[in-house]
Amino acid sequence: MNQASTFPRETPLPDLCAGNRSRRWLNRAAQGCFAAIGIGQLLFLTFILAFYYPTTLRGDWAEWNRKPLIDGFREGDFTGNLFFAAHVILAAVITAGGLMQLVPAIRNRVPTFHRWNGRIYMMTAATLAVGGLWLVWGRGTYVTVVGAVGISANALAILAFAGLSWRSSRARRFVQHRRWALRLFAVVSAVWFMRVGYMAWAIAAGGAGIGKSMDGPFDFFIAFGNSLVPLAITEAYIQAQARQHELACYGVAALLVICVLVIAVGSVGAWLMMWSPYL
Ligand code: HEM
């Protein structure tokens, strides 16, 4: 199969890993991992909708600060507060949009929805990235410079991958488009993964390496790891599917099972400690 070949719009993408046992394991592990991501991101979405939407839409912006934030609402800073408001409103749009984009049944049965949702997803991703850069460097919302550089690198990766995903889709190179879209999803999910990663690590390692001012070794690792770890795992999955090497398929399947455990522990932790106490 020529990987660069193009497909008519309605044709589902080929299942590159169907057919033998290692590939079936890889597919099952990937489905399990997407399910764990789906549940974890639904918890994040629930928190955004239940906490930020009512406070923001009511105009009760000082309420944001009931939750520990770096800046949140600042008296007299209309522009900064407006950017924050737009950011949290769009955070729900992108989280919901990304999850719907990954469901194969929606992709294959309702291609028009997939295309429109994809356009909205890419535009929202770019807006969040640019707005986030302004919050960090314009408003000065950061605790450490390493953290600020890490999240800025994430914003640049979002912009680059959104562009590459859009370009390959325009050129109808759907195999490449699927790969860029998966990479985009990985970096867009970085902010969620950072929260889940903190919680999983805090539970597993008792908070070792987490500094009081977010300046410990783990803080510096996660500042870049929030993008690089999901991206590396996504890449391993893409390559295992493309090469169809038995050992690689088993190896990546095992890696994805570990991811399911980390995501499950981290998501429950994030819900219990970071999100539900403020609802
Ligand atoms: C693309 C997906 C993104 C989502 C879903 C997202 C989501 C959120 C949410 C929910 C908050 C509220 C804080 C909280 O309750 O935890 C927030 C705050 C913030 N975000 Fe994002 N964000 C994204 C991307 C970015 C990017 C790329 C940057 C920076 C370049 C960024 C910078 C910020 C900053 C500076 C704050 C304020 C934090 C504070 O005051 O404590 N975000 N984001």
Coordinates of all heavy atoms in Angstrom, one line a residue, residues 44 47-48 51-52 67-73 84 87-88 90-92 94-95 124-125 128-137 139-142 148 151-156 158 187-192 195 274-275, ligand 1:
F44 N -12.3 16.9 32.6 CA -11.7 18.3 32.4 C -12.8 19.2 31.8 O -13.1 20.3 32.3 CB -10.5 18.2 31.5 CG -9.7 19.5 31.4 CD1 -9.5 20.3 32.5 CD2 -9.1 19.8 30.2 CE1 -8.7 21.5 32.4 CE2 -8.3 21.0 30.0 CZ -8.1 21.8 31.1
F47 N -15.5 20.1 34.3 CA -15.0 21.1 35.2 C -15.1 22.5 34.5 O -15.6 23.5 35.1 CB -13.6 20.8 35.7 CG -12.9 22.0 36.2 CD1 -13.3 22.6 37.4 CD2 -11.9 22.6 35.4 CE1 -12.6 23.8 37.8 CE2 -11.3 23.8 35.9 CZ -11.6 24.4 37.1
I48 N -14.6 22.6 33.3 CA -14.6 23.9 32.6 C -16.1 24.4 32.4 O -16.4 25.5 32.7 CB -13.9 23.8 31.2 CG1 -12.5 23.4 31.4 CG2 -14.1 25.1 30.4 CD1 -11.8 23.0 30.1
F51 N -17.6 25.2 36.0 CA -17.0 26.2 36.8 C -16.8 27.5 36.0 O -17.3 28.6 36.4 CB -15.6 25.7 37.4 CG -14.9 26.8 38.2 CD1 -15.3 27.1 39.5 CD2 -13.8 27.5 37.7 CE1 -14.7 28.0 40.3 CE2 -13.2 28.4 38.5 CZ -13.6 28.7 39.7
Y52 N -16.1 27.4 34.9 CA -15.8 28.7 34.2 C -17.0 29.2 33.4 O -17.1 30.4 33.2 CB -14.6 28.4 33.2 CG -13.3 28.4 34.0 CD1 -12.5 27.3 34.1 CD2 -12.9 29.6 34.7 CE1 -11.3 27.3 34.8 CE2 -11.7 29.6 35.4 CZ -10.9 28.4 35.4 OH -9.7 28.4 36.2
K67 N -10.6 29.4 42.7 CA -9.7 28.3 42.4 C -8.2 28.9 42.4 O -8.0 30.0 42.0 CB -10.0 27.8 41.0 CG -9.2 26.6 40.6 CD -9.6 26.1 39.3 CE -8.8 24.8 38.9 NZ -7.5 25.1 38.5
P68 N -7.3 28.1 43.0 CA -5.9 28.7 42.9 C -5.4 28.8 41.5 O -5.4 27.8 40.7 CB -5.1 27.6 43.7 CG -6.1 26.7 44.3 CD -7.3 26.8 43.6
L69 N -5.1 30.1 41.1 CA -4.6 30.3 39.8 C -3.4 31.2 39.9 O -3.1 31.8 40.9 CB -5.7 31.1 39.0 CG -6.9 30.3 38.6 CD1 -8.0 31.2 38.1 CD2 -6.6 29.3 37.5
I70 N -2.6 31.4 38.8 CA -1.5 32.3 38.8 C -2.0 33.7 38.9 O -1.6 34.5 39.7 CB -0.5 32.0 37.6 CG1 -0.1 30.6 37.5 CG2 0.7 32.9 37.8 CD1 0.6 30.2 36.2
D71 N -2.9 34.0 37.9 CA -3.5 35.3 37.8 C -5.0 35.3 37.9 O -5.6 35.9 38.8 CB -3.1 36.0 36.5 CG -1.8 36.8 36.7 OD1 -1.6 37.3 37.8 OD2 -1.0 36.9 35.7
G72 N -5.6 34.6 37.0 CA -7.1 34.6 37.0 C -7.6 36.0 36.8 O -7.2 36.7 35.9
F73 N -8.5 36.4 37.8 CA -9.1 37.7 37.7 C -8.2 38.7 38.4 O -7.7 38.5 39.5 CB -10.5 37.8 38.4 CG -11.1 39.1 38.4 CD1 -11.7 39.7 37.3 CD2 -11.1 39.9 39.6 CE1 -12.2 41.0 37.4 CE2 -11.6 41.1 39.7 CZ -12.2 41.7 38.5
F84 N -8.4 36.1 29.4 CA -8.6 34.9 30.3 C -10.0 34.3 30.0 O -10.2 33.1 29.9 CB -8.4 35.2 31.7 CG -8.4 34.0 32.6 CD1 -7.3 33.3 33.0 CD2 -9.6 33.4 33.1 CE1 -7.3 32.2 33.8 CE2 -9.7 32.3 33.9 CZ -8.5 31.7 34.2
H87 N -10.2 32.6 26.8 CA -9.4 31.4 26.9 C -10.2 30.2 27.5 O -10.2 29.1 26.9 CB -8.1 31.7 27.7 CG -7.0 30.7 27.6 ND1 -6.1 30.7 26.6 CD2 -6.7 29.6 28.4 CE1 -5.3 29.7 26.7 NE2 -5.6 29.0 27.8
V88 N -10.8 30.5 28.6 CA -11.6 29.3 29.2 C -12.8 28.9 28.5 O -13.2 27.8 28.5 CB -11.9 29.6 30.7 CG1 -10.6 29.6 31.6 CG2 -12.6 30.9 30.9
L90 N -13.0 29.0 25.1 CA -12.5 28.2 24.0 C -11.9 26.9 24.5 O -11.9 25.9 23.7 CB -11.5 29.0 23.2 CG -12.0 30.2 22.4 CD1 -10.9 30.9 21.7 CD2 -13.1 29.7 21.4
A91 N -11.5 26.8 25.7 CA -10.9 25.6 26.3 C -12.0 24.5 26.2 O -11.6 23.3 25.8 CB -10.5 25.8 27.7
A92 N -13.2 24.8 26.4 CA -14.3 23.7 26.4 C -14.5 23.4 24.9 O -14.7 22.2 24.6 CB -15.6 24.2 27.0
I94 N -12.5 23.4 22.4 CA -11.4 22.6 21.8 C -11.4 21.2 22.4 O -11.2 20.2 21.7 CB -10.1 23.2 21.9 CG1 -9.2 22.6 20.8 CG2 -9.4 23.1 23.3 CD1 -8.1 23.4 20.3
T95 N -11.7 21.1 23.7 CA -11.7 19.8 24.4 C -12.8 18.9 23.8 O -12.6 17.7 23.4 CB -11.8 19.9 25.9 OG1 -10.8 20.8 26.3 CG2 -11.6 18.6 26.6
T124 N -9.6 27.1 16.6 CA -9.7 27.3 18.0 C -8.3 27.0 18.6 O -7.8 27.7 19.5 CB -10.7 26.3 18.7 OG1 -11.9 26.4 17.9 CG2 -11.0 26.7 20.1
A125 N -7.6 26.0 18.1 CA -6.3 25.6 18.6 C -5.3 26.8 18.4 O -4.6 27.2 19.3 CB -5.7 24.4 17.9
L128 N -6.3 29.7 20.7 CA -5.8 29.4 22.1 C -4.3 29.6 22.3 O -3.8 30.1 23.3 CB -6.2 28.0 22.5 CG -7.6 27.9 23.1 CD1 -8.0 26.4 23.2 CD2 -7.7 28.5 24.5
A129 N -3.6 29.1 21.2 CA -2.1 29.2 21.3 C -1.7 30.7 21.3 O -0.9 31.1 22.1 CB -1.5 28.4 20.1
V130 N -2.2 31.5 20.4 CA -1.8 32.9 20.3 C -2.3 33.6 21.6 O -1.5 34.4 22.2 CB -2.4 33.6 19.0 CG1 -2.1 35.0 19.0 CG2 -1.8 32.9 17.8
G131 N -3.5 33.4 22.0 CA -4.0 34.0 23.2 C -3.2 33.6 24.4 O -2.9 34.4 25.3
G132 N -2.9 32.3 24.5 CA -2.1 31.8 25.6 C -0.7 32.5 25.6 O -0.2 32.8 26.7
L133 N -0.1 32.7 24.4 CA 1.2 33.3 24.4 C 1.1 34.7 24.9 O 2.0 35.2 25.6 CB 1.7 33.4 22.9 CG 2.3 32.1 22.4 CD1 2.6 32.2 20.9 CD2 3.6 31.7 23.2
W134 N 0.0 35.4 24.6 CA -0.2 36.8 25.1 C -0.4 36.7 26.7 O 0.2 37.6 27.4 CB -1.4 37.5 24.5 CG -1.5 38.9 25.0 CD1 -0.8 40.0 24.5 CD2 -2.2 39.4 26.1 NE1 -1.0 41.1 25.2 CE2 -1.8 40.7 26.2 CE3 -3.0 38.8 27.1 CZ2 -2.4 41.5 27.3 CZ3 -3.5 39.6 28.1 CH2 -3.2 40.9 28.2
L135 N -1.2 35.7 27.1 CA -1.4 35.7 28.6 C 0.0 35.5 29.3 O 0.2 36.1 30.3 CB -2.3 34.5 29.0 CG -3.8 34.7 28.8 CD1 -4.5 33.3 29.0 CD2 -4.3 35.7 29.8
V136 N 0.9 34.7 28.7 CA 2.2 34.4 29.3 C 3.1 35.6 29.2 O 3.5 36.2 30.2 CB 2.8 33.2 28.7 CG1 4.3 33.0 29.3 CG2 2.0 31.9 29.0
W137 N 3.3 36.1 28.0 CA 4.3 37.1 27.8 C 3.8 38.5 27.9 O 4.5 39.5 28.2 CB 5.1 36.9 26.5 CG 5.8 35.6 26.5 CD1 5.4 34.5 25.7 CD2 6.9 35.1 27.3 NE1 6.2 33.4 26.0 CE2 7.1 33.8 27.0 CE3 7.7 35.7 28.2 CZ2 8.1 33.0 27.6 CZ3 8.7 35.0 28.9 CH2 8.9 33.7 28.5
R139 N 0.6 39.5 29.5 CA 0.1 39.7 30.8 C 1.1 39.3 31.9 O 0.9 39.8 33.1 CB -1.2 38.9 31.0 CG -2.1 39.3 32.1 CD -3.3 38.4 32.4 NE -4.3 39.1 33.1 CZ -5.3 38.5 33.8 NH1 -5.4 37.2 33.8 NH2 -6.2 39.2 34.4
G140 N 2.0 38.5 31.6 CA 3.0 38.0 32.5 C 2.6 36.9 33.5 O 3.0 36.8 34.6
T141 N 1.6 36.0 33.0 CA 1.1 35.0 33.8 C 2.1 33.8 33.7 O 1.9 32.9 32.9 CB -0.3 34.6 33.4 OG1 -1.1 35.7 33.4 CG2 -0.9 33.5 34.3
Y142 N 3.1 33.7 34.6 CA 3.9 32.5 34.7 C 4.6 32.5 36.1 O 4.7 33.6 36.7 CB 4.9 32.4 33.6 CG 5.9 33.5 33.4 CD1 7.1 33.5 34.2 CD2 5.7 34.5 32.5 CE1 8.0 34.5 34.0 CE2 6.6 35.6 32.4 CZ 7.7 35.6 33.1 OH 8.6 36.6 33.0
A148 N 7.3 29.0 31.5 CA 6.8 29.9 30.5 C 7.3 29.5 29.1 O 6.6 29.5 28.1 CB 7.2 31.4 30.8
I151 N 5.5 26.1 28.0 CA 4.2 26.3 27.4 C 4.2 27.0 26.1 O 3.4 26.8 25.2 CB 3.2 26.9 28.5 CG1 1.7 26.7 28.1 CG2 3.5 28.3 28.8 CD1 1.2 25.3 28.2
S152 N 5.2 27.9 26.0 CA 5.3 28.7 24.7 C 5.7 27.8 23.6 O 5.2 27.9 22.4 CB 6.3 29.8 24.8 OG 5.9 30.7 25.9
A153 N 6.6 26.8 23.9 CA 7.0 25.8 22.9 C 5.8 25.0 22.5 O 5.6 24.7 21.3 CB 8.1 24.9 23.4
N154 N 4.9 24.7 23.4 CA 3.7 24.0 23.2 C 2.8 24.8 22.2 O 2.3 24.2 21.2 CB 3.0 23.7 24.5 CG 1.6 23.1 24.2 OD1 0.6 23.8 24.4 ND2 1.5 21.9 23.8
A155 N 2.7 26.1 22.4 CA 1.9 26.9 21.6 C 2.4 26.9 20.2 O 1.7 26.9 19.2 CB 1.9 28.4 22.1
L156 N 3.8 27.0 20.0 CA 4.4 27.0 18.7 C 4.1 25.7 18.0 O 3.9 25.6 16.8 CB 5.9 27.3 18.8 CG 6.2 28.7 19.3 CD1 7.7 28.9 19.4 CD2 5.5 29.8 18.5
I158 N 1.6 23.7 18.5 CA 0.2 23.7 18.1 C 0.0 24.5 16.8 O -0.7 24.0 15.8 CB -0.7 24.4 19.2 CG1 -0.8 23.5 20.4 CG2 -2.1 24.6 18.7 CD1 -1.5 24.1 21.6
V187 N -0.4 17.6 21.1 CA 0.1 18.8 21.7 C -1.0 19.7 22.2 O -0.8 20.4 23.2 CB 1.0 19.6 20.7 CG1 2.3 18.9 20.5 CG2 0.4 19.9 19.4
V188 N -2.2 19.6 21.6 CA -3.4 20.4 22.1 C -3.7 19.8 23.5 O -4.2 20.5 24.4 CB -4.6 20.4 21.1 CG1 -5.9 20.8 21.9 CG2 -4.3 21.3 20.0
S189 N -3.6 18.5 23.6 CA -3.9 17.8 24.9 C -2.9 18.0 26.0 O -3.0 17.6 27.1 CB -4.1 16.3 24.7 OG -5.1 16.1 23.7
A190 N -1.8 18.7 25.7 CA -0.7 18.9 26.6 C -1.1 19.5 27.9 O -0.6 19.1 29.0 CB 0.5 19.7 26.0
V191 N -2.0 20.6 27.8 CA -2.4 21.2 29.1 C -3.2 20.3 30.0 O -3.0 20.4 31.2 CB -3.1 22.6 28.8 CG1 -2.2 23.6 28.2 CG2 -4.4 22.3 28.1
W192 N -4.0 19.5 29.4 CA -4.7 18.5 30.1 C -3.8 17.4 30.7 O -3.8 17.1 31.9 CB -5.8 17.8 29.2 CG -6.3 16.5 29.8 CD1 -7.3 16.4 30.8 CD2 -5.9 15.2 29.4 NE1 -7.5 15.0 31.0 CE2 -6.7 14.3 30.2 CE3 -5.0 14.7 28.5 CZ2 -6.6 12.9 30.1 CZ3 -4.9 13.3 28.4 CH2 -5.7 12.4 29.2
R195 N -1.9 18.5 33.8 CA -2.6 18.3 35.1 C -2.7 16.9 35.5 O -2.5 16.6 36.7 CB -4.0 18.9 34.9 CG -4.0 20.5 34.8 CD -5.2 21.0 34.0 NE -5.3 22.5 34.0 CZ -4.6 23.3 33.2 NH1 -3.8 22.8 32.3 NH2 -4.8 24.6 33.3
M274 N -8.2 18.7 41.9 CA -8.0 19.9 41.2 C -9.4 20.5 40.8 O -9.5 21.7 40.6 CB -7.2 19.7 39.9 CG -5.7 19.7 40.1 SD -5.0 19.5 38.4 CE -3.3 19.7 38.9
W275 N -10.3 19.7 40.4 CA -11.5 20.2 39.8 C -12.8 20.1 40.6 O -13.4 21.2 40.9 CB -11.7 19.4 38.4 CG -10.6 19.6 37.5 CD1 -9.8 20.7 37.4 CD2 -10.1 18.6 36.6 NE1 -8.8 20.5 36.5 CE2 -8.9 19.2 35.9 CE3 -10.4 17.3 36.2 CZ2 -8.2 18.6 35.0 CZ3 -9.7 16.7 35.2 CH2 -8.6 17.3 34.6
Ligands
HEM1 C1 -4.9 24.4 23.5 C2 -5.4 23.9 24.6 C3 -5.6 24.7 25.9 C4 -6.6 24.5 26.8 C5 -7.7 23.4 26.7 C6 -6.3 25.4 27.9 C7 -7.1 25.4 29.0 C8 -7.0 26.3 30.0 C9 -7.8 26.4 31.2 C10 -9.0 25.5 31.5 C11 -7.3 27.4 32.0 C12 -7.8 27.8 33.4 C13 -6.9 27.4 34.4 C14 -7.4 26.2 35.2 O1 -8.5 26.2 35.7 O2 -6.6 25.2 35.2 C15 -6.2 27.9 31.3 C16 -5.4 29.0 31.8 C17 -4.3 29.5 31.2 N1 -3.7 29.0 30.0 FE1 -4.5 27.6 28.8 N2 -5.2 26.1 27.6 C18 -4.7 25.8 26.4 C19 -3.6 26.2 25.8 C20 -2.7 27.2 26.3 C21 -1.5 27.6 25.8 C22 -0.9 27.1 24.5 C23 -1.0 28.6 26.6 C24 0.3 29.3 26.5 C25 1.0 29.5 25.5 C26 -1.9 28.7 27.7 C27 -1.7 29.6 28.7 C28 -2.6 29.7 29.8 C29 -2.4 30.7 30.9 C30 -1.2 31.6 31.0 C31 -3.4 30.5 31.7 C32 -3.7 31.3 33.0 C33 -3.2 30.4 34.2 C34 -3.4 31.1 35.6 O3 -3.8 32.3 35.7 O4 -3.3 30.4 36.6 N3 -2.9 27.9 27.5 N4 -6.0 27.3 30.1

